[in-house]
Short mmCIF file of all heavy atoms in Angstrom, two decimals:
data_model
loop_
_atom_site.label_atom_id
_atom_site.label_comp_id
_atom_site.label_asym_id
_atom_site.label_seq_id
_atom_site.Cartn_x
_atom_site.Cartn_y
_atom_site.Cartn_z
N MET A 1 -5.36 -14.06 -13.63
CA MET A 1 -4.62 -15.09 -12.90
C MET A 1 -5.41 -16.40 -12.92
O MET A 1 -6.64 -16.39 -12.99
CB MET A 1 -4.43 -14.68 -11.43
CG MET A 1 -3.43 -13.57 -11.22
SD MET A 1 -3.02 -13.37 -9.47
CE MET A 1 -4.54 -12.60 -8.91
N TYR A 2 -4.64 -17.48 -12.83
CA TYR A 2 -5.29 -18.79 -12.84
C TYR A 2 -6.04 -19.03 -11.53
O TYR A 2 -5.53 -18.73 -10.44
CB TYR A 2 -4.23 -19.88 -13.01
CG TYR A 2 -4.82 -21.26 -13.15
CD1 TYR A 2 -5.30 -21.70 -14.39
CD2 TYR A 2 -4.90 -22.11 -12.06
CE1 TYR A 2 -5.84 -22.96 -14.52
CE2 TYR A 2 -5.44 -23.39 -12.20
CZ TYR A 2 -5.91 -23.80 -13.43
OH TYR A 2 -6.45 -25.05 -13.57
N CYS A 3 -7.25 -19.55 -11.63
CA CYS A 3 -8.04 -19.91 -10.46
C CYS A 3 -8.08 -21.43 -10.32
O CYS A 3 -8.47 -22.13 -11.26
CB CYS A 3 -9.46 -19.37 -10.56
SG CYS A 3 -10.52 -19.93 -9.22
N TYR A 4 -7.71 -21.91 -9.14
CA TYR A 4 -7.61 -23.35 -8.91
C TYR A 4 -8.98 -24.04 -8.98
O TYR A 4 -9.10 -25.15 -9.48
CB TYR A 4 -6.98 -23.58 -7.53
CG TYR A 4 -6.78 -25.04 -7.19
CD1 TYR A 4 -5.67 -25.73 -7.68
CD2 TYR A 4 -7.68 -25.72 -6.37
CE1 TYR A 4 -5.48 -27.05 -7.38
CE2 TYR A 4 -7.49 -27.05 -6.06
CZ TYR A 4 -6.39 -27.72 -6.57
OH TYR A 4 -6.21 -29.04 -6.26
N THR A 5 -10.02 -23.38 -8.49
CA THR A 5 -11.33 -24.03 -8.48
C THR A 5 -12.08 -23.85 -9.81
O THR A 5 -12.81 -24.73 -10.22
CB THR A 5 -12.22 -23.53 -7.32
OG1 THR A 5 -12.34 -22.12 -7.42
CG2 THR A 5 -11.59 -23.90 -5.99
N CYS A 6 -11.88 -22.72 -10.49
CA CYS A 6 -12.47 -22.55 -11.82
C CYS A 6 -11.70 -23.36 -12.87
O CYS A 6 -12.22 -23.67 -13.93
CB CYS A 6 -12.46 -21.08 -12.24
SG CYS A 6 -13.57 -20.01 -11.31
N GLN A 7 -10.44 -23.66 -12.57
CA GLN A 7 -9.54 -24.35 -13.51
C GLN A 7 -9.40 -23.57 -14.82
O GLN A 7 -9.39 -24.15 -15.92
CB GLN A 7 -10.02 -25.78 -13.77
CG GLN A 7 -10.03 -26.62 -12.50
CD GLN A 7 -10.28 -28.08 -12.74
OE1 GLN A 7 -10.90 -28.47 -13.73
NE2 GLN A 7 -9.77 -28.93 -11.85
N SER A 8 -9.34 -22.24 -14.67
CA SER A 8 -9.13 -21.36 -15.84
C SER A 8 -8.60 -20.02 -15.35
O SER A 8 -8.62 -19.74 -14.15
CB SER A 8 -10.45 -21.18 -16.59
OG SER A 8 -11.44 -20.65 -15.73
N ASP A 9 -8.15 -19.21 -16.29
CA ASP A 9 -7.71 -17.86 -15.94
C ASP A 9 -8.93 -16.99 -15.72
O ASP A 9 -9.82 -16.92 -16.58
CB ASP A 9 -6.85 -17.26 -17.06
CG ASP A 9 -5.45 -17.86 -17.07
OD1 ASP A 9 -4.93 -18.13 -15.97
OD2 ASP A 9 -4.91 -18.06 -18.16
N GLU A 10 -8.98 -16.35 -14.56
CA GLU A 10 -10.14 -15.53 -14.19
C GLU A 10 -9.66 -14.21 -13.61
O GLU A 10 -8.52 -14.09 -13.17
CB GLU A 10 -11.00 -16.25 -13.13
CG GLU A 10 -11.54 -17.60 -13.55
CD GLU A 10 -12.59 -17.50 -14.65
OE1 GLU A 10 -13.14 -16.39 -14.83
OE2 GLU A 10 -12.83 -18.51 -15.32
N GLN A 11 -10.56 -13.23 -13.61
CA GLN A 11 -10.27 -11.96 -12.97
C GLN A 11 -10.24 -12.16 -11.45
O GLN A 11 -11.04 -12.94 -10.90
CB GLN A 11 -11.36 -10.93 -13.30
CG GLN A 11 -11.41 -10.55 -14.76
CD GLN A 11 -10.21 -9.72 -15.19
OE1 GLN A 11 -9.72 -8.91 -14.41
NE2 GLN A 11 -9.75 -9.95 -16.40
N HIS A 12 -9.31 -11.47 -10.80
CA HIS A 12 -9.24 -11.48 -9.34
C HIS A 12 -9.18 -10.04 -8.86
O HIS A 12 -8.75 -9.15 -9.58
CB HIS A 12 -7.99 -12.21 -8.85
CG HIS A 12 -8.04 -13.70 -9.04
ND1 HIS A 12 -8.00 -14.28 -10.28
CD2 HIS A 12 -8.13 -14.71 -8.15
CE1 HIS A 12 -8.07 -15.60 -10.15
NE2 HIS A 12 -8.15 -15.89 -8.87
N ARG A 13 -9.60 -9.84 -7.63
CA ARG A 13 -9.47 -8.50 -7.04
C ARG A 13 -8.92 -8.64 -5.63
O ARG A 13 -9.00 -9.69 -5.02
CB ARG A 13 -10.83 -7.78 -7.01
CG ARG A 13 -11.87 -8.42 -6.09
CD ARG A 13 -12.97 -7.42 -5.78
NE ARG A 13 -14.11 -8.01 -5.08
CZ ARG A 13 -14.13 -8.28 -3.78
NH1 ARG A 13 -13.05 -8.08 -3.04
NH2 ARG A 13 -15.21 -8.78 -3.21
N ARG A 14 -8.38 -7.52 -5.14
CA ARG A 14 -7.91 -7.49 -3.75
C ARG A 14 -9.11 -7.52 -2.82
O ARG A 14 -10.24 -7.21 -3.21
CB ARG A 14 -7.07 -6.25 -3.50
CG ARG A 14 -5.74 -6.31 -4.22
CD ARG A 14 -4.84 -5.17 -3.80
NE ARG A 14 -3.57 -5.22 -4.51
CZ ARG A 14 -2.54 -6.02 -4.15
NH1 ARG A 14 -2.66 -6.78 -3.07
NH2 ARG A 14 -1.43 -6.03 -4.83
N LEU A 15 -8.86 -7.83 -1.55
CA LEU A 15 -9.94 -7.97 -0.59
C LEU A 15 -10.33 -6.60 -0.02
O LEU A 15 -9.51 -5.70 0.08
CB LEU A 15 -9.51 -8.88 0.56
CG LEU A 15 -9.03 -10.27 0.15
CD1 LEU A 15 -8.74 -11.09 1.40
CD2 LEU A 15 -10.06 -10.97 -0.71
N THR A 16 -11.59 -6.49 0.34
CA THR A 16 -12.05 -5.30 1.04
C THR A 16 -11.58 -5.37 2.50
O THR A 16 -11.12 -6.42 2.97
CB THR A 16 -13.58 -5.21 1.03
OG1 THR A 16 -14.10 -6.31 1.79
CG2 THR A 16 -14.14 -5.26 -0.39
N ALA A 17 -11.72 -4.28 3.22
CA ALA A 17 -11.32 -4.25 4.63
C ALA A 17 -12.07 -5.31 5.43
O ALA A 17 -11.48 -6.01 6.26
CB ALA A 17 -11.55 -2.85 5.20
N ASP A 18 -13.37 -5.43 5.18
CA ASP A 18 -14.16 -6.43 5.90
C ASP A 18 -13.70 -7.85 5.59
O ASP A 18 -13.62 -8.71 6.47
CB ASP A 18 -15.65 -6.29 5.55
CG ASP A 18 -16.30 -5.12 6.27
OD1 ASP A 18 -15.65 -4.52 7.16
OD2 ASP A 18 -17.45 -4.80 5.94
N GLU A 19 -13.40 -8.09 4.31
CA GLU A 19 -12.95 -9.43 3.91
C GLU A 19 -11.57 -9.75 4.50
O GLU A 19 -11.30 -10.88 4.89
CB GLU A 19 -12.91 -9.52 2.39
CG GLU A 19 -14.30 -9.52 1.77
CD GLU A 19 -14.31 -9.21 0.29
OE1 GLU A 19 -13.26 -8.82 -0.27
OE2 GLU A 19 -15.38 -9.35 -0.32
N LYS A 20 -10.72 -8.73 4.58
CA LYS A 20 -9.40 -8.94 5.21
C LYS A 20 -9.56 -9.30 6.68
O LYS A 20 -8.89 -10.19 7.18
CB LYS A 20 -8.55 -7.68 5.07
CG LYS A 20 -8.01 -7.47 3.67
CD LYS A 20 -7.21 -6.17 3.61
CE LYS A 20 -6.77 -5.89 2.18
NZ LYS A 20 -6.16 -4.55 2.07
N SER A 21 -10.46 -8.61 7.37
CA SER A 21 -10.70 -8.91 8.78
C SER A 21 -11.19 -10.34 8.94
O SER A 21 -10.74 -11.08 9.83
CB SER A 21 -11.74 -7.95 9.37
OG SER A 21 -11.30 -6.63 9.29
N TRP A 22 -12.12 -10.72 8.06
CA TRP A 22 -12.65 -12.08 8.11
C TRP A 22 -11.55 -13.11 7.90
O TRP A 22 -11.44 -14.10 8.63
CB TRP A 22 -13.75 -12.24 7.05
CG TRP A 22 -14.23 -13.65 6.97
CD1 TRP A 22 -15.19 -14.24 7.75
CD2 TRP A 22 -13.75 -14.67 6.07
NE1 TRP A 22 -15.33 -15.55 7.38
CE2 TRP A 22 -14.46 -15.84 6.37
CE3 TRP A 22 -12.79 -14.68 5.06
CZ2 TRP A 22 -14.25 -17.03 5.68
CZ3 TRP A 22 -12.56 -15.86 4.38
CH2 TRP A 22 -13.29 -17.01 4.68
N LEU A 23 -10.70 -12.88 6.92
CA LEU A 23 -9.66 -13.85 6.59
C LEU A 23 -8.61 -13.94 7.69
O LEU A 23 -8.09 -15.03 7.97
CB LEU A 23 -9.02 -13.49 5.25
CG LEU A 23 -7.99 -14.49 4.72
CD1 LEU A 23 -8.61 -15.88 4.56
CD2 LEU A 23 -7.40 -14.01 3.40
N LYS A 24 -8.31 -12.81 8.32
CA LYS A 24 -7.37 -12.85 9.45
C LYS A 24 -7.91 -13.74 10.56
O LYS A 24 -7.19 -14.56 11.14
CB LYS A 24 -7.12 -11.43 9.98
CG LYS A 24 -6.22 -10.61 9.07
CD LYS A 24 -6.08 -9.20 9.63
CE LYS A 24 -5.30 -8.32 8.66
NZ LYS A 24 -5.26 -6.92 9.12
N ASN A 25 -9.20 -13.59 10.86
CA ASN A 25 -9.82 -14.43 11.88
C ASN A 25 -9.86 -15.89 11.44
O ASN A 25 -9.61 -16.80 12.24
CB ASN A 25 -11.25 -13.95 12.17
CG ASN A 25 -11.27 -12.69 13.00
OD1 ASN A 25 -10.37 -12.44 13.79
ND2 ASN A 25 -12.30 -11.88 12.81
N ARG A 26 -10.14 -16.09 10.18
CA ARG A 26 -10.30 -17.45 9.64
C ARG A 26 -8.98 -18.22 9.66
O ARG A 26 -8.96 -19.42 9.90
CB ARG A 26 -10.86 -17.34 8.22
CG ARG A 26 -10.95 -18.63 7.43
CD ARG A 26 -12.03 -19.54 7.95
NE ARG A 26 -12.18 -20.70 7.11
CZ ARG A 26 -11.33 -21.74 7.09
NH1 ARG A 26 -10.30 -21.74 7.87
NH2 ARG A 26 -11.55 -22.76 6.28
N THR A 27 -7.88 -17.53 9.38
CA THR A 27 -6.59 -18.20 9.22
C THR A 27 -5.63 -17.95 10.37
O THR A 27 -4.63 -18.65 10.48
CB THR A 27 -5.89 -17.72 7.93
OG1 THR A 27 -5.63 -16.31 8.04
CG2 THR A 27 -6.75 -17.99 6.71
N GLY A 28 -5.91 -16.95 11.22
CA GLY A 28 -4.98 -16.60 12.28
C GLY A 28 -3.77 -15.83 11.79
O GLY A 28 -2.82 -15.62 12.55
N ARG A 29 -3.77 -15.41 10.52
CA ARG A 29 -2.64 -14.65 9.98
C ARG A 29 -2.69 -13.20 10.43
O ARG A 29 -3.76 -12.64 10.60
CB ARG A 29 -2.67 -14.68 8.45
CG ARG A 29 -2.32 -16.03 7.85
CD ARG A 29 -2.59 -16.00 6.37
NE ARG A 29 -2.34 -17.30 5.77
CZ ARG A 29 -1.31 -17.56 4.96
NH1 ARG A 29 -0.48 -16.61 4.64
NH2 ARG A 29 -1.15 -18.77 4.47
N LYS A 30 -1.51 -12.62 10.58
CA LYS A 30 -1.44 -11.21 10.96
C LYS A 30 -1.67 -10.31 9.75
O LYS A 30 -2.23 -9.22 9.87
CB LYS A 30 -0.09 -10.88 11.60
CG LYS A 30 0.06 -11.45 13.00
CD LYS A 30 1.30 -10.90 13.67
CE LYS A 30 1.38 -11.32 15.14
NZ LYS A 30 1.44 -12.77 15.32
N THR A 31 -1.18 -10.72 8.59
CA THR A 31 -1.39 -9.94 7.38
C THR A 31 -1.96 -10.84 6.29
O THR A 31 -1.60 -12.00 6.17
CB THR A 31 -0.09 -9.31 6.85
OG1 THR A 31 0.81 -10.36 6.48
CG2 THR A 31 0.55 -8.42 7.89
N VAL A 32 -2.85 -10.26 5.50
CA VAL A 32 -3.47 -11.00 4.39
C VAL A 32 -3.42 -10.16 3.12
O VAL A 32 -4.21 -10.34 2.21
CB VAL A 32 -4.94 -11.39 4.72
CG1 VAL A 32 -4.98 -12.41 5.85
CG2 VAL A 32 -5.75 -10.15 5.08
N GLU A 33 -2.44 -9.25 3.08
CA GLU A 33 -2.35 -8.31 1.95
C GLU A 33 -2.07 -9.03 0.63
O GLU A 33 -2.33 -8.48 -0.44
CB GLU A 33 -1.25 -7.28 2.20
CG GLU A 33 -1.47 -6.41 3.43
CD GLU A 33 -2.76 -5.62 3.35
OE1 GLU A 33 -3.09 -5.13 2.25
OE2 GLU A 33 -3.44 -5.49 4.38
N GLU A 34 -1.49 -10.22 0.70
CA GLU A 34 -1.08 -10.91 -0.53
C GLU A 34 -2.21 -11.68 -1.21
O GLU A 34 -2.02 -12.24 -2.27
CB GLU A 34 0.08 -11.88 -0.23
CG GLU A 34 -0.29 -13.10 0.61
CD GLU A 34 -0.13 -12.89 2.10
OE1 GLU A 34 -0.53 -11.81 2.61
OE2 GLU A 34 0.38 -13.82 2.75
N PHE A 35 -3.42 -11.65 -0.61
CA PHE A 35 -4.49 -12.48 -1.16
C PHE A 35 -5.37 -11.75 -2.16
O PHE A 35 -5.61 -10.54 -2.04
CB PHE A 35 -5.35 -13.04 -0.02
CG PHE A 35 -4.64 -14.12 0.74
CD1 PHE A 35 -3.94 -13.81 1.89
CD2 PHE A 35 -4.62 -15.42 0.27
CE1 PHE A 35 -3.23 -14.79 2.58
CE2 PHE A 35 -3.93 -16.41 0.94
CZ PHE A 35 -3.23 -16.09 2.10
N PHE A 36 -5.82 -12.52 -3.14
CA PHE A 36 -6.75 -12.05 -4.16
C PHE A 36 -7.92 -13.01 -4.21
O PHE A 36 -7.77 -14.20 -3.97
CB PHE A 36 -6.08 -12.03 -5.55
CG PHE A 36 -4.94 -11.06 -5.67
CD1 PHE A 36 -3.66 -11.40 -5.28
CD2 PHE A 36 -5.17 -9.79 -6.18
CE1 PHE A 36 -2.61 -10.51 -5.39
CE2 PHE A 36 -4.12 -8.89 -6.32
CZ PHE A 36 -2.84 -9.25 -5.92
N MET A 37 -9.09 -12.47 -4.55
CA MET A 37 -10.29 -13.28 -4.65
C MET A 37 -10.74 -13.38 -6.10
O MET A 37 -10.78 -12.38 -6.82
CB MET A 37 -11.41 -12.64 -3.83
CG MET A 37 -12.64 -13.50 -3.68
SD MET A 37 -14.03 -12.55 -3.02
CE MET A 37 -14.67 -11.84 -4.54
N CYS A 38 -11.10 -14.59 -6.54
CA CYS A 38 -11.62 -14.79 -7.89
C CYS A 38 -13.01 -14.14 -8.00
O CYS A 38 -13.86 -14.34 -7.13
CB CYS A 38 -11.72 -16.29 -8.18
SG CYS A 38 -12.47 -16.67 -9.76
N THR A 39 -13.20 -13.38 -9.06
CA THR A 39 -14.49 -12.69 -9.22
C THR A 39 -15.43 -13.43 -10.17
O THR A 39 -16.49 -12.90 -10.52
CB THR A 39 -14.28 -11.25 -9.76
OG1 THR A 39 -13.64 -11.31 -11.03
CG2 THR A 39 -13.43 -10.45 -8.78
N ALA A 40 -15.09 -14.63 -10.60
CA ALA A 40 -16.02 -15.41 -11.42
C ALA A 40 -17.30 -15.66 -10.61
O ALA A 40 -17.24 -15.83 -9.39
CB ALA A 40 -15.40 -16.74 -11.81
N PRO A 41 -18.47 -15.66 -11.27
CA PRO A 41 -19.74 -15.81 -10.55
C PRO A 41 -19.76 -17.05 -9.66
O PRO A 41 -19.50 -18.16 -10.12
CB PRO A 41 -20.78 -15.93 -11.68
CG PRO A 41 -20.15 -15.21 -12.83
CD PRO A 41 -18.67 -15.48 -12.72
N GLY A 42 -20.04 -16.84 -8.36
CA GLY A 42 -20.17 -17.94 -7.43
C GLY A 42 -18.87 -18.56 -6.97
O GLY A 42 -18.90 -19.53 -6.21
N CYS A 43 -17.73 -18.03 -7.38
CA CYS A 43 -16.45 -18.67 -7.03
C CYS A 43 -15.90 -18.14 -5.71
O CYS A 43 -15.93 -18.82 -4.70
CB CYS A 43 -15.44 -18.50 -8.15
SG CYS A 43 -13.87 -19.33 -7.79
N ARG A 44 -15.34 -16.91 -5.74
CA ARG A 44 -14.82 -16.26 -4.55
C ARG A 44 -13.68 -17.05 -3.89
O ARG A 44 -13.45 -16.94 -2.68
CB ARG A 44 -15.94 -15.98 -3.54
CG ARG A 44 -17.07 -15.14 -4.14
CD ARG A 44 -18.21 -14.88 -3.18
NE ARG A 44 -17.89 -13.95 -2.12
CZ ARG A 44 -17.92 -12.62 -2.24
NH1 ARG A 44 -18.30 -12.06 -3.37
NH2 ARG A 44 -17.61 -11.84 -1.24
N ASN A 45 -12.99 -17.86 -4.66
CA ASN A 45 -11.85 -18.59 -4.14
C ASN A 45 -10.66 -17.66 -3.94
O ASN A 45 -10.49 -16.69 -4.67
CB ASN A 45 -11.49 -19.70 -5.14
CG ASN A 45 -10.32 -20.53 -4.65
OD1 ASN A 45 -10.31 -20.98 -3.51
ND2 ASN A 45 -9.34 -20.74 -5.51
N LEU A 46 -9.84 -17.97 -2.93
CA LEU A 46 -8.68 -17.15 -2.62
C LEU A 46 -7.40 -17.75 -3.18
O LEU A 46 -7.21 -18.96 -3.17
CB LEU A 46 -8.53 -17.01 -1.10
CG LEU A 46 -9.57 -16.13 -0.42
CD1 LEU A 46 -9.44 -16.28 1.09
CD2 LEU A 46 -9.40 -14.68 -0.83
N ARG A 47 -6.51 -16.87 -3.63
CA ARG A 47 -5.15 -17.24 -3.98
C ARG A 47 -4.25 -16.06 -3.63
O ARG A 47 -4.73 -14.99 -3.26
CB ARG A 47 -5.03 -17.57 -5.47
CG ARG A 47 -5.35 -16.41 -6.41
CD ARG A 47 -4.81 -16.66 -7.80
NE ARG A 47 -3.34 -16.67 -7.76
CZ ARG A 47 -2.55 -17.24 -8.67
NH1 ARG A 47 -3.09 -17.83 -9.70
NH2 ARG A 47 -1.24 -17.18 -8.56
N THR A 48 -2.93 -16.27 -3.73
CA THR A 48 -2.01 -15.15 -3.60
C THR A 48 -1.43 -14.85 -4.98
O THR A 48 -1.69 -15.57 -5.94
CB THR A 48 -0.85 -15.48 -2.62
OG1 THR A 48 0.05 -16.38 -3.26
CG2 THR A 48 -1.36 -16.06 -1.33
N GLY A 49 -0.63 -13.80 -5.06
CA GLY A 49 -0.01 -13.48 -6.33
C GLY A 49 0.90 -14.59 -6.84
O GLY A 49 1.10 -14.73 -8.04
N PHE A 50 1.45 -15.38 -5.91
CA PHE A 50 2.42 -16.40 -6.29
C PHE A 50 1.85 -17.82 -6.25
O PHE A 50 2.28 -18.67 -7.02
CB PHE A 50 3.64 -16.34 -5.35
CG PHE A 50 4.37 -15.03 -5.42
CD1 PHE A 50 4.28 -14.12 -4.39
CD2 PHE A 50 5.12 -14.72 -6.54
CE1 PHE A 50 4.95 -12.91 -4.46
CE2 PHE A 50 5.79 -13.51 -6.63
CZ PHE A 50 5.71 -12.60 -5.58
N GLN A 51 0.91 -18.06 -5.36
CA GLN A 51 0.40 -19.41 -5.17
C GLN A 51 -1.05 -19.49 -5.63
O GLN A 51 -1.91 -18.77 -5.11
CB GLN A 51 0.45 -19.81 -3.69
CG GLN A 51 1.83 -20.09 -3.16
CD GLN A 51 1.75 -20.59 -1.74
OE1 GLN A 51 1.52 -19.82 -0.81
NE2 GLN A 51 1.89 -21.88 -1.57
N LYS A 52 -1.33 -20.43 -6.54
CA LYS A 52 -2.71 -20.59 -6.99
C LYS A 52 -3.52 -21.45 -6.03
O LYS A 52 -4.74 -21.49 -6.13
CB LYS A 52 -2.75 -21.17 -8.40
CG LYS A 52 -2.20 -22.58 -8.53
CD LYS A 52 -2.34 -23.05 -9.98
CE LYS A 52 -1.91 -24.48 -10.18
NZ LYS A 52 -0.47 -24.69 -10.01
N HIS A 53 -2.86 -22.15 -5.12
CA HIS A 53 -3.55 -23.09 -4.23
C HIS A 53 -2.96 -23.00 -2.82
O HIS A 53 -2.36 -23.96 -2.32
CB HIS A 53 -3.41 -24.52 -4.79
CG HIS A 53 -4.28 -25.51 -4.11
ND1 HIS A 53 -4.02 -26.87 -4.15
CD2 HIS A 53 -5.41 -25.38 -3.39
CE1 HIS A 53 -4.93 -27.53 -3.47
NE2 HIS A 53 -5.79 -26.64 -3.00
N PRO A 54 -3.11 -21.83 -2.16
CA PRO A 54 -2.45 -21.64 -0.87
C PRO A 54 -3.11 -22.38 0.28
O PRO A 54 -2.47 -22.63 1.29
CB PRO A 54 -2.53 -20.13 -0.64
CG PRO A 54 -3.73 -19.70 -1.41
CD PRO A 54 -3.78 -20.61 -2.61
N PHE A 55 -4.38 -22.76 0.12
CA PHE A 55 -5.08 -23.45 1.19
C PHE A 55 -5.63 -24.78 0.68
O PHE A 55 -6.14 -24.86 -0.43
CB PHE A 55 -6.28 -22.62 1.70
CG PHE A 55 -5.91 -21.27 2.23
CD1 PHE A 55 -6.36 -20.13 1.59
CD2 PHE A 55 -5.13 -21.13 3.36
CE1 PHE A 55 -6.04 -18.87 2.07
CE2 PHE A 55 -4.80 -19.88 3.85
CZ PHE A 55 -5.25 -18.75 3.20
N ASP A 56 -5.52 -25.82 1.50
CA ASP A 56 -6.07 -27.12 1.15
C ASP A 56 -6.80 -27.66 2.38
O ASP A 56 -6.16 -28.04 3.34
CB ASP A 56 -4.96 -28.08 0.72
CG ASP A 56 -5.52 -29.38 0.18
OD1 ASP A 56 -6.75 -29.46 -0.02
OD2 ASP A 56 -4.72 -30.31 -0.05
N PRO A 57 -8.13 -27.71 2.38
CA PRO A 57 -9.03 -27.35 1.29
C PRO A 57 -9.05 -25.84 1.01
O PRO A 57 -8.62 -25.06 1.85
CB PRO A 57 -10.40 -27.82 1.80
CG PRO A 57 -10.30 -27.78 3.28
CD PRO A 57 -8.87 -28.14 3.59
N VAL A 58 -9.57 -25.48 -0.15
CA VAL A 58 -9.59 -24.09 -0.55
C VAL A 58 -10.45 -23.27 0.40
O VAL A 58 -11.36 -23.80 1.05
CB VAL A 58 -10.11 -23.90 -1.99
CG1 VAL A 58 -9.24 -24.67 -2.98
CG2 VAL A 58 -11.56 -24.30 -2.10
N ILE A 59 -10.18 -21.99 0.50
CA ILE A 59 -11.00 -21.06 1.27
C ILE A 59 -11.68 -20.11 0.30
O ILE A 59 -11.03 -19.53 -0.57
CB ILE A 59 -10.16 -20.27 2.28
CG1 ILE A 59 -9.59 -21.22 3.35
CG2 ILE A 59 -10.97 -19.15 2.92
CD1 ILE A 59 -8.73 -20.52 4.40
N ARG A 60 -13.00 -20.00 0.44
CA ARG A 60 -13.77 -19.06 -0.35
C ARG A 60 -14.29 -17.95 0.55
O ARG A 60 -14.71 -18.21 1.68
CB ARG A 60 -14.96 -19.76 -1.01
CG ARG A 60 -14.58 -20.85 -2.00
CD ARG A 60 -15.83 -21.59 -2.44
NE ARG A 60 -15.54 -22.80 -3.20
CZ ARG A 60 -15.58 -22.86 -4.52
NH1 ARG A 60 -15.90 -21.81 -5.25
NH2 ARG A 60 -15.32 -23.99 -5.14
N VAL A 61 -14.27 -16.74 0.05
CA VAL A 61 -14.76 -15.60 0.83
C VAL A 61 -16.28 -15.67 0.86
O VAL A 61 -16.92 -15.81 -0.20
CB VAL A 61 -14.30 -14.28 0.19
CG1 VAL A 61 -14.82 -13.09 1.01
CG2 VAL A 61 -12.79 -14.23 0.08
N PRO A 62 -16.89 -15.61 2.06
CA PRO A 62 -18.36 -15.66 2.12
C PRO A 62 -18.99 -14.42 1.53
O PRO A 62 -18.39 -13.34 1.53
CB PRO A 62 -18.64 -15.76 3.62
CG PRO A 62 -17.45 -15.17 4.28
CD PRO A 62 -16.29 -15.46 3.38
N LEU A 63 -20.19 -14.55 1.02
CA LEU A 63 -20.93 -13.38 0.54
C LEU A 63 -21.25 -12.48 1.71
O LEU A 63 -21.50 -12.97 2.82
CB LEU A 63 -22.22 -13.83 -0.17
CG LEU A 63 -22.02 -14.50 -1.52
CD1 LEU A 63 -23.30 -15.17 -1.97
CD2 LEU A 63 -21.56 -13.49 -2.54
N PRO A 64 -21.27 -11.19 1.53
CA PRO A 64 -21.56 -10.27 2.63
C PRO A 64 -23.00 -10.41 3.12
O PRO A 64 -23.85 -10.89 2.41
CB PRO A 64 -21.31 -8.89 2.03
CG PRO A 64 -21.40 -9.05 0.57
CD PRO A 64 -20.95 -10.46 0.28
ZN1 ZN B 101 -12.54 -18.99 -9.58
#
């Protein structure tokens, strides 16, 4: 999938349970199942399956 911050197609993965909890707190959303994280080194930018730029400014998942 295309990554907005890498400006290229990159691998993404679904969020772990801990990352989902973090994102719920961060955004106030009840569900975050639609989000994917870019796995390019140092990126960790979030997108959904449909939106490449769901947050402005972008939200990156913090390192554990
Ligand atoms: Zn990226």
Side-chain angles (χ1 to χ4, degrees):
M1 287 191 286
Y2 185 82
C3 174
Y4 182 81
T5 57
C6 291
Q7 298 189 334
S8 57
D9 285 324
E10 301 291 342
Q11 295 290 324
H12 289 68
R13 66 162 171 79
R14 291 188 181 278
L15 304 184
T16 65
D18 283 351
E19 290 164 351
K20 286 178 185 172
S21 299
W22 174 85
L23 185 58
K24 286 177 186 175
N25 285 330
R26 173 71 175 76
T27 62
R29 289 171 183 251
K30 287 190 173 60
T31 64
V32 292
E33 298 300 321
E34 69 269 44
F35 287 95
F36 295 85
M37 189 192 85
C38 175
T39 60
C43 182
R44 304 178 72 82
N45 181 49
L46 288 170
R47 63 162 293 159
T48 74
F50 298 107
Q51 287 185 284
K52 65 178 184 292
H53 191 201
F55 301 116
D56 188 9
V58 302
I59 295 180
R60 296 172 191 262
V61 180
L63 289 167

